[in-house]
Amino acid sequence: MSRNYFKQKVLLTFGYNGANYHGLQIQKGVEFETVESKLFQALKDSNLIMEQNGNDLSKSGWSRGARTDKGVHALCNSIAVKLCINKEFFKDDIQQNEEEVLSKLKDKAKVDYGKVLNVINSNLPNDIKVHSIKLVTQGFDVRKNARYRFYEYIAPVSIYSEKKGEEIIEKVNNLVKKFVGTHNFHNYSRGMKYTDPQSMRYILSIQVELFKYQDREFFKFLIHGQSFIYHQIRKMMGIVIQIFQEELPDTFIDNTFFKNQLRIILAPAEGLFLNRISFEGYNTKFDIPQRLEIEEEDQIKIDQFRPTIVDFICEQEIKNQTFTNWLKILKEKNFNIEEEEENNNKAENDD
């Protein structure tokens, strides 16, 4: 790349169907494809990453939002990166002779970020889509500046009970409300001790909705929290199924927050996806180039991508019985099955 470019730190918001990827994060020494590896390659193919930085995320100021696991999806995840903007991304009404380009490189208002967005997406597979590009400060870090994370989990009603969804949704709502507030979630992540300060997590709200897809009933859980430890959400979802299937008392959830070790089943990754990350604290700063909010045109793109995830989750159950077969295996093992993905997909935190 020639030197007629400038660097701009941006926030990319993007969605993906995680079925074909070994999680979000690039993993050193592992040949499995990840969402990050595809996104970083697309940026290189789009001539937005300097060639000498092509093998090092850190040199491009890379920071990530939610580190989703293998098979987990995202409607709107976030990554910050320094892009190298050259003359091909200037607005069409700008004269493109070399001298003018060099003199106007400092005028970042001349950049057409719609062009940047389109070029990136042209180099991505269909199951990954960048929704928006926002300008951020040079020191911006996604994880440090994220205030809240919103997740969704979708599962068929049949894995809870043989009853109809409307007959059990009240009980499901009452169960998940027990998670709201600050609790010790040491039982919701393997190997974590009660005394570990990382086990304390704050859940703002959980809502449960009932919907139909091709005449099949599904529950949709909307989880709003500050941050989550590894596997926390999937075990929160798993314990609700466990209470129904093993006919456990509702107080079983309350007991998980105390100093003990309780077995909680891990719900399938296929039903989980990140809805979005919010940056309320960052948005109150006076010296930021843009507020990090989902604008109307961004929401339209996000809504258009949503069926790529939701329809896929529902169709996998209808066609392949993803959840039904998972429950069948659990019953055969008397609800005592090894979490085999722990061994081949160890991550740090979901946040």
Side-chain angles (χ1 to χ4, degrees):
M1 185 184 291
S2 63
R3 294 297 296 178
N4 60 332
Y5 66 87
F6 68 87
K7 290 184 179 181
Q8 175 62 55
K9 188 79 169 282
V10 301
L11 181 77
L12 303 179
T13 59
F14 60 102
Y16 49 89
N17 181 314
N20 295 321
Y21 302 102
H22 203 78
L24 170 77
Q25 189 172 349
I26 290 177
Q27 300 180 38
K28 295 181 180 179
V30 178
E31 296 182 359
F32 298 113
E33 285 191 338
T34 68
V35 177
E36 271 190 351
S37 65
K38 287 292 187 181
L39 182 57
F40 193 56
Q41 185 61 50
L43 294 177
K44 290 191 287 185
D45 293 342
S46 302
N47 205 27
L48 290 163
I49 297 291
M50 294 176 62
E51 186 175 343
Q52 57 264 43
N53 296 338
N55 296 315
D56 191 340
L57 295 178
S58 63
K59 290 182 179 179
S60 296
W62 193 275
S63 65
R64 59 185 64 85
R67 291 171 287 187
T68 55
D69 298 333
K70 178 183 176 182
V72 177
H73 321 289
L75 185 61
C76 196
N77 205 340
S78 301
I79 277 178
V81 60
K82 290 180 182 178
L83 300 182
C84 296
I85 308 295
N86 60 36
K87 62 182 181 179
E88 70 177 287
F89 297 113
F90 274 35
K91 295 178 180 177
D92 292 334
D93 58 349
I94 303 299
Q95 296 298 317
Q96 291 297 310
N97 68 69
E98 194 71 14
E99 289 185 4
E100 285 194 56
V101 169
L102 288 171
S103 66
K104 291 175 180 177
L105 276 172
K106 296 179 181 179
D107 189 353
K108 299 181 181 182
K110 305 299 184 182
V111 179
D112 186 341
Y113 283 97
K115 286 184 180 180
V116 179
L117 183 70
N118 290 336
V119 170
I120 296 172
N121 280 327
S122 70
N123 288 308
L124 283 170
N126 292 333
D127 52 7
I128 304 175
K129 184 83 168 180
V130 176
H131 304 311
S132 68
I133 300 174
K134 309 287 185 184
L135 307 187
V136 295
T137 58
Q138 288 301 305
F140 180 85
D141 183 283
V142 179
R143 191 173 179 222
K144 292 179 180 178
N145 286 280
R147 175 64 62 85
Y148 299 116
R149 293 167 176 83
F150 300 78
Y151 280 87
E152 294 186 37
Y153 192 86
I154 291 175
V157 171
S158 58
I159 65 172
Y160 298 85
S161 170
E162 294 180 356
K163 297 179 180 179
K164 292 184 177 180
E166 59 186 15
E167 297 180 58
I168 64 171
I169 191 170
E170 182 178 358
K171 179 175 181 177
V172 173
N173 260 308
N174 289 334
L175 288 173
V176 297
K177 283 179 181 178
K178 293 176 178 290
F179 295 120
V180 176
T182 300
H183 299 287
N184 191 314
F185 284 95
H186 71 288
N187 274 311
Y188 293 78
S189 187
R190 191 177 219 184
M192 182 165 282
K193 296 181 179 180
Y194 178 79
T195 54
D196 191 332
Q198 291 295 316
S199 66
M200 298 299 295
R201 300 286 159 150
Y202 176 45
I203 307 296
L204 282 81
S205 66
I206 303 184
Q207 298 175 354
V208 187
E209 298 176 0
L210 177 66
F211 72 97
K212 282 190 176 182
Y213 185 90
Q214 296 184 11
D215 296 325
R216 292 285 298 276
E217 287 191 322
F218 290 84
F219 282 137
K220 178 175 69 176
F221 298 81
L222 299 97
I223 305 113
H224 178 192
Q226 284 185 329
S227 60
F228 301 88
I229 53 178
Y230 181 56
H231 278 169
Q232 179 185 339
I233 295 177
R234 288 172 59 191
K235 288 207 170 190
M236 288 166 59
M237 299 296 97
I239 199 172
V240 177
I241 300 167
Q242 191 173 347
I243 286 173
F244 274 92
Q245 288 293 328
E246 297 192 77
E247 298 182 349
L248 300 172
D250 295 1
T251 54
F252 186 67
I253 291 180
D254 302 288
N255 293 335
T256 63
F257 304 136
F258 298 133
K259 190 176 182 180
N260 51 37
Q261 292 294 324
L262 297 176
R263 175 182 55 82
I264 300 175
I265 63 173
L266 183 68
E270 288 81 357
L272 179 62
F273 64 96
L274 175 71
N275 178 291
R276 60 188 168 93
I277 300 172
S278 65
F279 302 92
E280 282 88 342
Y282 174 84
N283 286 337
T284 62
K285 298 181 179 180
F286 70 91
D287 58 345
I288 59 175
Q290 279 184 281
R291 290 173 62 86
L292 302 182
E293 298 174 330
I294 297 176
E295 300 174 10
E296 184 176 353
E297 61 181 303
D298 302 331
Q299 190 61 56
I300 292 172
K301 296 174 184 176
I302 293 169
D303 291 341
Q304 290 173 341
F305 189 79
R306 187 178 181 87
T308 306
I309 297 173
V310 176
D311 290 7
F312 176 82
I313 293 172
C314 296
E315 288 172 3
Q316 286 299 300
E317 171 59 19
I318 292 171
K319 295 177 181 179
N320 302 323
Q321 296 188 311
T322 304
F323 292 88
T324 301
N325 289 334
W326 166 81
L327 181 61
K328 180 181 178 181
I329 293 172
L330 271 181
K331 287 183 174 180
E332 290 174 352
K333 300 289 185 178
N334 195 26
F335 291 90
N336 189 21
I337 188 169
E338 287 294 325
E339 296 164 10
E340 58 183 31
E341 62 193 278
E342 291 275 7
N343 298 322
N344 59 26
N345 189 39
K346 186 62 179 174
E348 295 178 35
N349 293 337
D350 283 340
D351 61 348

